[in-house]
Amino acid sequence: MIALVAADMLVVLAGHGLLRLAGGGRPIRRLGVLGAGSLSVLSGATLLALATTVAGVLGRSTRPWPLLVSVLVVLAAAGLLPERQVRPAADGAGDQRPTRVGDLASAAVSAAVGLRLAGWVAGLPVWHNDEAAIWAYRGRLLSLAGHLDPRAFLGVQVLYPTQNYPLLVPAHIAWSDAWLGRPADGPARLQLAALFVAMLMVTGWAVTRLAGSFAAVAAVLTVAAMPGGLSHVAILLTADLTLLAFALPLVLVLALWARTGERMLLAAAAVLAAGAASTKDEGLLFALAAMAAAGLVTPSARARLRLVVAAAAAAASAAPWVVFTRLHGVESSVVNGDTLSPASLRRTLPMAGAVATAVRDHWPGSPALVALLLVPAALLAAARGQGRLLAQIAVTAAVATAGLYAQYVVSVQGTGAAAAAYIEGHFWST
């Protein structure tokens, strides 16, 4: 276990180095201790996923030695290089002042949630179908076989519509197994729990700077207590909460960047977007929705151009996996050439109303209660001059929701009563 902890520290230091190179300065100086530390955890996780994916696609070893560790060591060393010129942090972004009260309070709450989560998952074996057949299956393929074998997708994966899911979660399972010297479900879960805690800490850090200390603690508690979060999804060895661990900080970091223009924040946003895209198919949708929304509320043409470059870099990070899956005929049965064909769309579009009803009935939260909470909050934000922030969050949510809704519609199977039964069963199970 000591070896795994040391290896995870190397991943975090490599994430710090990646932020240092992309952001052009020391993350701690620009972002403060809490922001730099928690974002380094998420950046390191992204780096490990991308390095494992590239190694697997190229037919190289997906075990730590020698390629993965070499990449991580180089980037970790880059993060320790002396800074040539000290540039003051942008107003409201980084922090050369003492750590804010909101940082301390939200970090304490996040750590308490993390300890509770770790206690749940540390000894929990794989028990859920999706854990075994999608995530742990691929992770053990990478650790035990030591390479990415496309023939694996001809096995149990054929029974699932998600054959083309990216490799961030399997890469972390393989990383944990390799340093322990054996397959171990509990430590693999702890890898994902660490990402969840890092998300909570980024949330507290960002909201402290956007809205103050009280709002930061409230935000951390709100995220930790969301329906189905810690009670179910966070204890599973799947990518659902892992996707949120990248997508939510991305939205908040972009909100800070839109306010300050700090280069380090945009660099962090690009890395977070790449991490989101490495989790599930929906990750790239969420990332591009967040970046498009930030671009709409950014008045500077130069800033928008930089955002486009960051978004392109995040999208390009998904290219090796996309190319690999296409070359080997591995694709999703949800969104593909068949489901997007004119004939298929003529069959599925009439079911759009039934899908909307299923969203209303099955997604967590009462629409009336959500409106009751959000409308006054939106009016208050607008009255306090936070119109751009309000618009950014609203557009992000609208685009992401529309994308998910369209995915549900185009993937409907059958017609008539059979299609209605499919929709009900699909929403119930997810």
Side-chain angles (χ1 to χ4, degrees):
M1 196 66 180
I2 295 177
L4 177 58
V5 172
D8 284 344
M9 289 303 301
L10 174 62
V11 173
V12 175
L13 289 174
H16 173 267
L18 179 60
L19 290 177
R20 168 77 185 277
L21 294 176
R26 288 190 179 279
I28 291 179
R29 188 180 299 278
R30 303 285 179 80
L31 306 177
V33 175
L34 183 62
S38 52
L39 286 170
S40 293
V41 172
L42 296 172
S43 297
T46 300
L47 185 60
L48 177 60
L50 296 180
T52 302
T53 300
V54 171
V57 167
L58 296 179
R60 303 290 297 275
S61 173
T62 54
R63 296 192 178 103
W65 296 98
L67 180 61
L68 300 184
V69 169
S70 300
V71 170
L72 296 175
V73 167
V74 168
L75 283 168
L80 301 177
L81 294 175
E83 191 172 15
R84 291 185 177 180
Q85 181 179 2
V86 176
R87 181 168 66 86
D91 291 341
D95 220 324
Q96 296 187 63
R97 293 172 289 169
T99 300
R100 303 185 183 187
V101 174
D103 290 351
L104 296 174
S106 59
V109 174
S110 301
V113 173
L115 289 173
R116 178 58 173 159
L117 179 59
W120 280 344
V121 305
L124 191 65
V126 165
W127 60 272
H128 190 273
N129 284 350
D130 287 357
E131 287 184 294
I134 300 177
W135 308 107
Y137 172 76
R138 296 185 188 191
R140 269 65 203 248
L141 168 70
L142 296 176
S143 65
L144 296 176
H147 64 279
L148 184 62
D149 192 336
R151 292 176 297 179
F153 299 99
L154 300 177
V156 68
Q157 289 288 293
V158 175
L159 303 176
Y160 281 78
T162 51
Q163 297 182 55
N164 65 329
Y165 270 176
L167 296 180
L168 188 144
V169 171
H172 282 76
I173 297 172
W175 179 260
S176 173
D177 288 354
W179 288 102
L180 290 173
R182 57 183 172 81
D185 298 339
R189 293 180 193 278
L190 290 176
Q191 303 291 301
L192 305 189
L195 302 183
F196 185 80
V197 175
M199 172 194 68
L200 294 180
M201 291 188 174
V202 175
T203 299
W205 167 80
V207 175
T208 295
R209 285 148 182 79
L210 289 168
S213 300
F214 179 80
V217 175
V220 171
L221 291 173
T222 300
V223 175
M226 62 187 164
L230 289 178
S231 63
H232 180 63
V233 184
I235 67 173
L236 295 180
L237 199 60
T238 65
D240 297 274
L241 257 290
T242 306
L243 169 54
L244 183 70
F246 290 96
L248 178 58
L250 172 61
V251 174
L252 296 173
V253 166
L254 285 172
L256 283 175
W257 171 79
R259 174 179 292 186
T260 66
E262 168 62 55
R263 175 183 171 183
M264 182 67 71
L265 291 171
L266 185 58
V271 176
L272 290 170
S278 299
T279 54
K280 301 179 68 176
D281 290 344
E282 295 85 354
L284 188 58
L285 164 66
F286 290 176
L288 295 180
M291 290 183 141
L296 288 176
V297 303
T298 302
S300 166
R302 177 176 294 183
R304 285 197 296 272
L305 178 60
R306 291 172 178 167
L307 181 62
V308 168
V309 173
S317 71
W321 180 246
V322 171
V323 171
F324 174 84
T325 53
R326 295 298 181 273
L327 287 176
H328 293 92
V330 179
E331 65 177 13
S332 170
S333 64
V334 176
V335 179
N336 54 52
D338 293 334
T339 60
L340 297 178
S341 67
S344 178
L345 292 176
R346 284 194 296 270
R347 176 182 59 80
T348 58
L349 287 179
M351 302 305 299
V355 173
T357 300
V359 167
R360 181 198 67 195
D361 293 343
H362 289 280
W363 279 15
S366 163
L369 179 60
V370 170
L372 182 65
L373 294 173
L374 291 186
V375 171
L379 293 175
L380 180 61
R384 294 177 64 92
Q386 299 295 330
R388 287 202 303 170
L389 176 61
L390 177 64
Q392 178 199 347
I393 294 175
V395 171
T396 301
V399 173
T401 302
L404 290 176
Y405 173 74
Q407 174 181 287
Y408 277 118
V409 172
V410 302
S411 65
V412 171
Q413 298 180 12
T415 58
Y422 171 82
I423 293 170
E424 179 65 20
H426 187 55
F427 272 83
W428 181 86
S429 68
T430 57

